[in-house]
């Protein structure tokens, strides 16, 4: 890796997660909109880490300690988040304030939430959802 590539990699790592720059939505879902739908509509097919389109590889990111869903990441960001040290500049901020916390949602990671997110995202994106 060249020096320029290393500098670029460090600069990208130091940036906050993309979801921290998105406009804050209403905190309470509408009566016909559940928390899963609110998360999917707010992320609008974007990765919470890098902000790029999720394309065909959305991953439901969750905390293994609390068992709660944090948000939707692309495969590359999910891998980076999973291997990043605890105080990594970008991922520490993401873990502290993930999309579900921004939205005030409490989604336990489990089959009902995974299935509902898969349904919602398949209807919107037309792509399958992977567990992260």
């Amino acid at each position: 890796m060249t020096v320029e590539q290393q500098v670029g990699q460090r600069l990208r790592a130091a940036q906050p997660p993309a979801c921290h720059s998105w406009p804050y939505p209403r905190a309470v879902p509408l009566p016909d909109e559940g928390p899963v739908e609110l998360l999917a509509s707010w992320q609008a097919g974007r990765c919470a880490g890098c902000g790029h389109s999720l394309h065909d590889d959305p991953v439901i990111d969750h905390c293994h300690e609390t068992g709660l869903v944090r948000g939707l990441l692309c495969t590359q960001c999910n891998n980076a988040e999973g291997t990043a040290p605890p105080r990594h500049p970008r991922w520490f901020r993401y873990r502290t304030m993930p999309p579900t916390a921004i939205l005030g949602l409490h989604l336990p990671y489990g089959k009902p939430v995974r299935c509902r997110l898969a349904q919602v995202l398949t209807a919107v994106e037309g792509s399958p959802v992977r567990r992260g």
Side-chain angles (χ1 to χ4, degrees), residues 8-106:
Q9 187 176 21
R10 285 190 185 137
L11 287 174
R12 281 189 304 279
Q15 294 175 348
C19 62
H20 288 192
S21 65
W22 299 341
Y24 279 56
R26 66 191 180 286
V28 180
L30 297 173
D32 61 336
E33 182 179 57
V36 169
E37 289 79 6
L38 179 60
L39 175 65
S41 67
W42 186 65
Q43 286 207 223
R46 303 171 291 188
C47 171
C50 65
H52 293 119
S53 173
L54 289 171
H55 298 294
D56 295 331
D57 64 348
V59 179
I60 302 170
D61 178 51
H62 67 286
C63 176
H64 291 263
E65 292 177 16
T66 64
L68 296 175
V69 172
R70 290 190 283 223
L72 302 171
L73 297 174
C74 66
T75 302
Q76 186 176 3
C77 283
N78 187 61
N79 292 338
E81 187 279 325
T83 58
R87 302 290 291 183
H88 183 279
R90 174 182 276 184
W91 299 114
F92 175 76
R93 291 185 226 171
Y94 170 79
R95 293 175 193 132
T96 304
M97 186 59 72
T100 52
I102 292 170
L103 297 169
L105 303 176
H106 183 87

